Amino acid sequence: MIKTHSIYLVEDHIIVRNGFKELIENMGNYKVTEEFDNGKQLINKIHVGQPDLIIMDLTMPVMDGKATMRWLKEHNIKYPVLILTLDTSDKTIIDLYKSGVRGYLPKTCTAQTLKSAIDNILTTGYYHNELLSNALLRNDGYPVRDERMEILNLCSDRELHFLRLVCSPDEFTYEQIAQKMDVHKRTVDGYRESLFEKFKLRSKTGLVLFAIKNELVPL
Amino acid sequence: MIKTHSIYLVEDHIIVRNGFKELIENMGNYKVTEEFDNGKQLINKIHVGQPDLIIMDLTMPVMDGKATMRWLKEHNIKYPVLILTLDTSDKTIIDLYKSGVRGYLPKTCTAQTLKSAIDNILTTGYYHNELLSNALLRNDGYPVRDERMEILNLCSDRELHFLRLVCSPDEFTYEQIAQKMDVHKRTVDGYRESLFEKFKLRSKTGLVLFAIKNELVPL
DNA sequence: TACTTTCAAGGTGTTAATTCCTTTTTAACA
DNA sequence: TGTTAAAAAGGAATTAACACCTTGAAAGTA
């Protein structure tokens, strides 16, 4: 007697969800024990049952797949997650893989591929395929960014200089930065406010994160 | 008529090298055009010919595989490299993948696997297998670094949780973090001060930089 | 039990960060 | 040359960050 594994399905399109549900339950030893329209619904009930696997779409209303993965990671919840979606950009795949997904499949995959992905995750803890490896290799481990140039163009030289000083490991205050840049304290305030406004930031911490994420400063 | 591809072999044990050479040339459309005892020999002659692929061992005298990859990367030389070695630790695999290798095989692989690896690299530019994906997934996306582990051991779970919230793109204040962690404002102060002292930091900005540099938080 | 250590919590004061508003300077331009 | 827009400075007030010191509870230990 083979144990039946419990699977949660998170997918907003009910038709698609029913399709996958049937597909999965026809495999024999899997049962879809819970279904959710979006990530919010999932995390609200995540402490109720104990799924062996969560299969989730990426584009969903209210709380999408990425946000859900972030939440799960933040709350240290480690049920394996298999992403099933149409979005297969390198950036998306890498982001998700970084937030801890165990496998990634296009919705267009065959039933057989889906089955082997599920099997693999449940037995070995993960499913690896070309999508992940290729995305990683193509990017040499770094996220893809066209945005970078755009951002650089939006910033003046002095703003970038300021940004680099903000990210210095010496942890300068704005006053020290003003000295280093040989301008007034308030001028530096201006650089900060300008960057805050342009990139919707609210704090020095935000500046640092923004600069690093967009590779505007060397690490 | 199929084009014969040119392959360089870098391997210090001549017996092993000859074994592989024969194996490779028996595949039909591949020819080992140069052989080297170590990486130093390879880079000395790297500008002479134009190999379609370099197959390299890791443990070699004078200049080993890792050092050679670093040199090639630094000099922007992009011939595809397939690593063939016994060392299959996660750290090694990830380090190499970061320095740009296109594939990684244990020396114990079958002739058939070797052939498909070579074919794959020459046609698609890379060869992905379990070794790479697994190493990456096991590490949750982070490179293995001794320092990182040391730091992780020095931090309590709550301190790490706190650190992740500090680095959140939502730019939380400490008060908001206290709410999220469901502890008192002053308790959060404690986490902060403890991290400040342990790692010689002075500011929230410093925390963010520290966390990111040591890959304690996802980007 | 008494002692120590560790962590959560609390009080208070100082410094830095952030915001809002105003003025001056600079540079571009009709 | 006078007008205007943007950058640089400045004043001042609010909030967050940071530092120092104390207390209480829990856990481990002699």
Side-chain angles (χ1 to χ4, degrees), chain A residues 200-217:
Chain A
K200 308 278 173 264
L201 304 170
R202 305 195 295 283
S203 67
K204 203 175 180 183
T205 301
L207 281 178
V208 172
L209 286 162
F210 172 79
I212 293 177
K213 280 190 188 172
N214 294 290
E215 300 172 69
L216 308 176
V217 295

Side-chain angles (χ1 to χ4, degrees), chain A residues 158 182-187 189 191:
Chain A
R158 306 205 45 88
D182 209 25
V183 292
H184 197 274
K185 199 169 176 292
R186 286 293 131 59
T187 309
D189 275 347
Y191 300 149

Side-chain angles (χ1 to χ4, degrees), chain B residues 120-186:
Chain B
N120 260 290
I121 292 182
L122 291 179
T123 55
T124 70
Y126 48 83
Y127 169 72
H128 61 82
N129 61 356
E130 312 177 338
L131 285 176
L132 172 57
S133 300
N134 292 3
L136 288 164
L137 285 169
R138 261 197 296 275
N139 283 293
D140 202 21
Y142 298 113
V144 186
R145 291 205 286 114
D146 295 342
E147 206 187 328
R148 178 172 179 263
M149 277 303 154
E150 229 171 273
I151 291 170
L152 286 175
N153 287 335
L154 281 174
C155 296
S156 70
D157 284 350
R158 300 196 66 76
E159 281 169 355
L160 286 173
H161 187 193
F162 162 73
L163 202 50
R164 277 190 220 104
L165 289 169
V166 167
C167 296
S168 155
D170 292 332
E171 303 180 41
F172 296 127
T173 65
Y174 290 134
E175 197 146 6
Q176 291 173 313
I177 290 176
Q179 284 179 6
K180 288 219 168 274
M181 292 185 70
D182 210 25
V183 292
H184 196 275
K185 199 170 176 288
R186 287 292 131 60

